[in-house]
Amino acid sequence: MRALALVPIAAALLPVAALAAEPAPSPALRAAVNAPSRTPANVARDRYRHPVETLAFFGVRPTDTVVEIWPSGGWYTEILAPYLLKRGVLYAAADSDKGLNGVRALAAAHPAVYKGLRHAIFPAAAGQARVPDGTADVVLTFRNVHNWRFGATDRTQAAFDQMFAMLKPGGVLGVEEHHLPENQRGVEEGKSGYMKRSSVIAYATKAGFRLVGESKVNANPKDTHDYPGGVWTLPPGYAEKDKDRARYAAIGESDRMTLKFVKPR
């Protein structure tokens, strides 16, 4: 198991000077990760995604109101739903009603586990179902920031602004994203699927967030960040299909930054 790190940040863009150990994850969180309702194929990826350590680092409690941004097939939803079932609230916030089909399928298979799941649109326009402002304790986004950079319009700042709005003062934004080293050349943010730490911090800071810590739990030093098909060259995407598949499998899933922000009180 990798050690967690909570790092006070004196200046958001400075390198991390030291790493401090986090308390052990709670039995309730471990039980949610081991829930029998989880999909076996998703469980097999725990060794890359470290859900126990990641959610413990973000400080997610079973009594929280949590918003999961763009859950797609529901990899983290499978853990958050049983964890928050009895005393918390979970929103699945997708870019469209169709984007919620993945979590709806999970709910249909295990209705008792997902009976409290709420749906929302993100980013929400006027008249769309949205997470009410100032109601969330935690907002989580896993490998989504690069998606907001795609296309002719950079939607990233609007996304961070809306996440800021939905949080209570003192609420936490947890960001996990494919990491592009600051000195990496020849790799374009957004198109490659990788983002620089400084870019993510800049968007969050402009929205009003304060960076309070980061963890190396999802870092992967084997990742060279410079593949022909971008980050999707690595598992589970295998954009090159069978070409060099064994090499990419040996690297594993991408190098990821894990950043914890707070909305000031």
Side-chain angles (χ1 to χ4, degrees):
M1 181 182 298
R2 301 191 186 189
L4 294 178
L6 180 61
V7 185
I9 306 297
L13 301 184
L14 291 180
V16 177
L19 302 179
E22 275 283 287
S26 70
L29 180 54
R30 292 190 183 278
V33 171
N34 292 321
S37 54
R38 290 192 68 202
T39 307
N42 287 345
V43 173
R45 296 169 72 183
D46 286 0
R47 65 191 180 111
Y48 299 119
R49 298 190 170 185
H50 315 100
V52 171
E53 296 88 347
T54 300
L55 292 174
F57 171 71
F58 289 144
V60 183
R61 300 166 298 184
T63 55
D64 282 341
T65 294
V66 177
V67 182
E68 184 184 2
I69 301 295
W70 287 18
S72 187
W75 197 93
Y76 261 100
T77 318
E78 284 194 326
I79 297 167
L80 293 167
Y83 185 55
L84 300 167
L85 176 62
K86 294 183 179 179
R87 296 186 291 161
V89 174
L90 176 60
Y91 282 91
D95 62 340
S96 66
D97 189 64
K98 183 179 179 181
L100 294 166
N101 285 347
V103 295
R104 287 196 178 103
L106 294 176
H110 302 281
V113 176
Y114 293 88
K115 63 181 181 181
L117 182 66
R118 302 182 185 183
H119 298 158
I121 300 299
F122 176 87
Q128 291 182 310
R130 64 184 295 159
V131 178
D133 289 353
T135 60
D137 297 294
V138 181
V139 174
L140 300 171
T141 178
F142 300 100
R143 303 170 307 283
N144 287 316
V145 180
H146 65 278
N147 290 313
W148 305 329
R149 286 287 305 274
F150 285 154
T153 303
D154 185 346
R155 300 172 293 165
T156 317
Q157 193 59 57
F160 274 90
D161 291 346
Q162 199 163 120
M163 291 188 291
F164 185 87
M166 65 178 63
L167 279 163
K168 300 173 183 177
V172 169
L173 170 64
V175 178
E176 182 206 296
E177 181 55 85
H178 307 295
H179 174 235
L180 180 65
E182 297 293 321
N183 61 354
Q184 189 94 15
R185 298 183 183 276
V187 179
E188 187 173 349
E189 283 187 298
K191 289 184 178 180
S192 68
Y194 290 98
M195 296 287 296
K196 291 184 178 180
R197 173 180 176 270
S198 60
S199 297
V200 175
I201 293 172
Y203 283 116
T205 302
K206 187 175 181 180
F209 287 106
R210 181 167 57 91
L211 179 66
V212 295
E214 61 187 293
S215 172
K216 297 294 185 183
V217 68
N218 294 305
N220 181 359
K222 296 180 181 179
D223 184 357
T224 60
H225 315 89
D226 57 355
Y227 312 106
V231 71
W232 305 279
T233 304
L234 297 177
Y238 290 111
E240 298 292 293
K241 298 183 179 179
D242 290 333
K243 182 181 178 181
D244 294 327
R245 189 181 182 96
R247 178 166 74 91
Y248 297 134
I251 293 171
E253 294 193 13
S254 68
D255 178 30
R256 293 159 185 170
M257 63 184 115
T258 306
L259 305 176
K260 182 176 181 179
F261 299 92
V262 165
K263 179 177 181 175
R265 296 183 182 276

